């Protein structure tokens, strides 16, 4: 038995080409998920290192970004100006982690990515819940195209 599109059918009932196509699609999606997770890990690494240029390299030129406190940044130039002004001097007394919580492909080259972001400090953890819309470029790279970060408030 083989599972195709959530339906279980006998393997002999499926043409070999269909099996190969399904396997190729699953392999491509797995590679895309790995690439997307790498981008999110790079967001974490660049935030921890306060590496503005490394962070900015992850963005599409037409990106839209909204910070956890609601500041809307339209286009890479605005994102770059804000990031270069804020990130290098950002002060926090702990660590930050980013974890992909869920990925949904809207199209093969567009993914909505829900992230769990946690700032760990001596006073306790605080959490953000970013949503990234990422697009795969012609060269295969995934870039941040839209980002909305929301602070999670307790209570």
């Amino acid at each position: 038995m083989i599972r195709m599109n959530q339906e279980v059918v006998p393997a002999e009932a499926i043409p070999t080409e269909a099996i190969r196509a399904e396997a190729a699609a699953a392999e491509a999606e797995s590679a895309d998920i790995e690439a997307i997770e790498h981008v999110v890990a790079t967001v974490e690494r660049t935030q921890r290192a306060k590496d503005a240029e490394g962070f900015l390299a992850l963005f599409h030129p037409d990106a839209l970004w909204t910070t956890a406190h609601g500041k809307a940044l339209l286009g890479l130039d605005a994102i770059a100006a804000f990031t270069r002004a804020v990130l290098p001097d950002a002060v926090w007394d702990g660590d930050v982690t980013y974890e992909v919580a869920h990925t949904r492909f809207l199209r093969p080259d567009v993914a909505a990515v829900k992230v769990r972001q946690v700032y760990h400090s001596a006073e306790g953890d605080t959490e953000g819940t970013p949503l990234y819309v990422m697009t795969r470029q012609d060269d295969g790279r995934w870039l941040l195209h839209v980002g909305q970060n929301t602070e999670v408030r307790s209570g």
Side-chain angles (χ1 to χ4, degrees), residues 2 11 22-24 32 37-38 46 49-50 79 84-85 88 90 93 103 107-110 126 131 133-136 146:
I2 295 180
E22 185 83 11
D32 286 331
E37 288 173 345
H38 177 74
T46 57
K50 300 180 183 181
I79 296 166
R84 289 178 181 133
D93 64 351
T103 300
R107 295 188 335 209
D109 61 341
V110 179
T126 58
L131 174 64
V133 176
M134 298 177 67
T135 53
R136 186 177 59 221
V146 177

Side-chain angles (χ1 to χ4, degrees), residues 68-150:
H69 301 290
K71 183 168 182 68
L73 305 168
L74 309 177
L76 184 55
D77 289 343
I79 296 166
F82 177 84
T83 300
R84 289 178 181 133
V86 173
L87 185 57
D89 296 325
V91 177
W92 59 81
D93 64 351
D95 225 350
V96 63
T97 57
Y98 290 73
E99 173 189 359
V100 173
H102 181 76
T103 300
R104 170 150 307 147
F105 287 93
L106 306 176
R107 295 188 335 209
D109 61 341
V110 179
V113 182
K114 195 64 182 160
V115 175
R116 182 171 186 256
Q117 170 194 58
V118 181
Y119 287 93
H120 307 278
S121 73
E123 293 82 37
D125 294 350
T126 58
E127 190 172 335
T129 180
L131 174 64
Y132 301 154
V133 176
M134 298 177 67
T135 53
R136 186 177 59 221
Q137 308 309 293
D138 291 340
D139 64 4
R141 290 179 308 136
W142 283 89
L143 295 178
L144 298 166
H145 211 120
V146 177
Q148 166 71 52
N149 195 358
T150 303

